[in-house]
Structure formats: structure tokens, C-alpha cells
Amino acid sequence: MKKFADLSEREVLAVAISGEEEDSRIYMSFAEDLSERYPESAKLFEEMAEEEKGHRHRLLEIYEKSFGPNLPPIRRTDVKGFLRRRPVWLTKNLSLDVVRKEAEIMEFEAQRFYSKAAEQATNVGVRKLLGDLAEIEKSHENLAAKLTDKILTPNVREEEDRTRKRMFVLQYVQPGLAGLMDGSVSTLAPLFAAAFATHHNWQTFLVGLAASIGAGISMGFAEALSDDGSLTGRGSPWLRGGICGLMTTLGGLGHTLPYLVPDSWQNAFWIATAIAGVVVFFELWAIAYIRARYMDTPFLQAVFQIVLGGAIVLSVGILIGAA
């Protein structure tokens, strides 16, 4: 995977061409899905799809003039820094709000890409075209923001608030949630395996502490190295890595701390295990709520994925420890 700064002008244009083609198909998919329920919004997405096709033709024309007919096989997925989005366009009967948010993210990312690409372009014609496309994509982003059941014309403050909220989700919620999910779920098996294997609270606490800190370090580095933030606007990679690593550690420590109950207490192991079980219950439900609240995941689906998955991991740890 290449860094954006390392792309040649030819590769930048090739990424832009493939990106416009993909976005056009996505918008047409949205239009087909919305056509019966929201015909006016569907027409708007059809128009946006046609515009994306026009952008692709303009980019292809200037590419062929500069580099010939052959496009290098490089796409957005080959460039470090682009958002990895869920393919929601493959889902039918999406709510208008979900479509709007997805379109906003797509146009926001495209606008940043063209702005960055224009800054490093050396060819005057290419630089002007990329700058023009950045402005067009910005207007598309504003247009997508209006696709709600109640159409509102946002003023400057509303637009700033919307951008701030989007940045908050990208820079803090996403890495924090990823860390919390990993820390809360991945440490369940080793912690409860140690607990039921030893029936010794202090030893169990040490295993849980090591698993939590180790997972936090691993997740922190993985998040920091996954995206430098230059295209997505997700902020400093080390800030995101720190948030992800911290939340991973906290997710594991939540059900580890109950094992600080002194072994000298009567029924100390069962007291600690009962408290840890209650903590796990609230952790998993909190993660499901956050996913539903910020990540557009249906609540019941989030519960099924997180709570059921966590319960399975917990059961595996108990079975292995008790064997």
C-alpha cells in the first residue's frame, strides 16, 4: 500500500479516475434503492452519478493527453489514508439518513483528495482541473447534507457543527470504539481461563493486566500505522493510536480489576468472578449502544454481534480454564 505523498502525478490521476467511476456506480445504486420511497432524492443521486461520470471523462481526457491511453492498475484501496467504508450500498431499503451520511463521507473524502492532489500537481492544467473538482465535490457534500426528510438550508454555524461532529466521530469515536471492542472481548478468554484454571484472584489479575496492556499496545500501533490522516482528515495517527490503545487497555481492565479482591476473603474467587461477570455485561451492552449511536449499526444487529460474540468468547475461556 502506497502513501499518498509517494504517488506520481500519473498515479494520482489514475486513482481519481477509478474513484469517480466507483462513486458513480454507488450513487446509481442509491438512486435505485430510493426511487420508490424518495423519488426526488433518487433523481438527485442520478444527477450526482452523471456528474461523477463527467468528472471521470475530464480526468481521462487530460490523462490521455499527458500519459497516453494506458491506466496503471491502482485504486483507492491501494493508497494509504482513504477511509475503509462499509459497503452499505449493497444493502436494500436503507434509510435516507444512512444514505445521506454515506454520501457526505464520500464527497468529503473526494474533496480532500482533490485538494491535496492539486497542491502537489506540477502540470498547470492538471492542477486547475483538480482544484475545480475539489470545489465541485465540496458543493456535493453540502448537497448531500440536505438529504433528510425535513430539508433545511444550513447556515455557516450549522455547517461548522456538522463538520466538527464528523471529525469527532472520525478522530475519536471510531478508534476508541475499535479499541474498546477489542479490549473488552479479546481479553475475556485468557482472563476467565486463568480464573477457572487457578481459582486464584491475584494470578488471574496479573494475567488480565498483561493481556489488557499487551492488547492496548498492539491495537495502538495498528491504528497509528493504518492511516496517516492526510486524506481522511482523521487527525494525528499517534493521537488516534493513543486513543485506541488506551480504550483497548481500559476495556480489558474493566473486568480484570474485580480480581483485586483479596484471596484471604471467604469465597473471594466467586465474589470477584461475579463482579467481573456484571462488568462484562455492562461493557458489551455499552459497546452495542455506541455502535448503534455513532456507526449507523441497527441496535439489534449490534447487540447480536457484540453481546453474542462476547458471550461465546467468555464461554470458551471458562471451558478451557475448567478443563
Side-chain angles (χ1 to χ4, degrees):
M1 186 173 290
K2 298 189 69 170
K3 292 182 179 179
F4 176 75
D6 296 335
L7 295 179
S8 66
E9 195 163 85
R10 182 186 183 192
E11 290 172 328
V12 167
L13 286 174
V15 170
I17 291 167
S18 65
E20 292 290 352
E21 182 180 3
E22 182 181 9
D23 287 350
S24 176
R25 293 201 303 267
I26 291 172
Y27 286 141
M28 284 304 300
S29 177
F30 285 154
E32 290 177 2
D33 187 44
L34 296 173
S35 59
E36 293 184 3
R37 295 171 293 145
Y38 304 103
E40 293 302 318
S41 296
K43 289 181 182 178
L44 183 58
F45 275 114
E46 289 177 1
E47 293 172 3
M48 291 172 68
E50 289 301 317
E51 277 202 59
E52 301 298 299
K53 290 180 181 178
H55 299 169
R56 181 181 182 278
H57 289 315
R58 292 172 65 185
L59 287 163
L60 192 57
E61 182 179 349
I62 200 168
Y63 176 91
E64 290 178 345
K65 287 181 180 178
S66 302
F67 305 106
N70 295 322
L71 285 169
I74 183 170
R75 306 176 69 84
R76 287 184 292 198
T77 52
D78 303 318
V79 182
K80 190 174 183 179
F82 278 101
L83 287 175
R84 296 296 180 263
R85 300 192 302 269
R86 295 176 298 116
V88 297
W89 45 88
L90 299 180
T91 305
K92 295 299 181 183
N93 298 320
L94 290 169
S95 70
L96 191 58
D97 193 50
V98 170
V99 173
R100 176 187 62 80
K101 288 182 179 179
E102 189 63 31
E104 272 192 274
I105 291 174
M106 289 170 60
E107 297 300 333
F108 172 73
E109 184 181 51
Q111 187 263 327
R112 285 188 62 86
F113 169 75
Y114 285 127
S115 296
K116 290 285 185 182
E119 290 175 3
Q120 70 178 49
T122 56
N123 182 287
V124 176
V126 172
R127 183 165 62 247
K128 182 180 183 304
L129 175 58
L130 294 174
D132 291 343
L133 290 176
E135 290 300 316
I136 293 173
E137 300 294 356
K138 186 175 182 179
S139 67
H140 279 185
E141 182 188 354
N142 294 333
L143 188 62
K146 299 178 183 179
L147 291 174
T148 56
D149 293 326
K150 184 178 181 181
I151 302 298
L152 297 175
T153 303
N155 56 29
V156 175
R157 177 177 290 275
E158 289 173 335
E159 186 173 348
E160 290 177 350
D161 290 343
R162 186 172 59 251
T163 300
R164 190 179 303 112
K165 181 178 179 180
R166 181 171 57 240
M167 290 297 96
F168 174 75
V169 172
L170 291 177
Q171 295 177 1
Y172 298 98
V173 175
Q174 284 186 350
L177 179 61
L180 187 61
M181 289 171 58
D182 186 82
S184 297
V185 176
S186 68
T187 58
L188 289 176
L191 178 75
F192 284 92
F196 280 84
T198 64
H199 281 245
H200 193 281
N201 284 358
W202 179 245
Q203 292 179 1
T204 300
F205 172 77
L206 293 178
V207 171
L209 182 65
S212 301
I213 294 176
I217 294 172
S218 175
M219 283 293 290
F221 273 102
E223 174 63 30
L225 297 175
S226 67
D227 174 14
D228 61 10
S230 60
L231 295 180
T232 61
R234 298 179 69 203
S236 166
W238 297 111
L239 173 62
R240 296 194 328 272
I243 292 171
C244 185
L246 177 62
M247 293 305 295
T248 302
T249 302
L250 291 178
L253 287 178
H255 43 260
T256 297
L257 291 176
Y259 285 96
L260 284 174
V261 171
D263 286 300
S264 58
W265 289 14
Q266 186 176 4
N267 295 321
F269 169 74
W270 293 110
I271 292 173
T273 301
I275 297 173
V278 172
V279 171
V280 169
F281 175 83
F282 283 105
E283 283 177 345
L284 297 180
W285 279 91
I287 293 171
Y289 171 78
I290 295 171
R291 288 197 67 190
R293 174 69 176 79
Y294 289 102
M295 307 305 293
D296 298 322
T297 303
F299 183 69
L300 292 179
Q301 180 181 335
V303 169
F304 180 79
Q305 293 174 342
I306 302 301
V307 177
L308 180 61
I312 293 174
V313 175
L314 174 64
S315 301
V316 168
I318 294 174
L319 290 173
I320 292 174

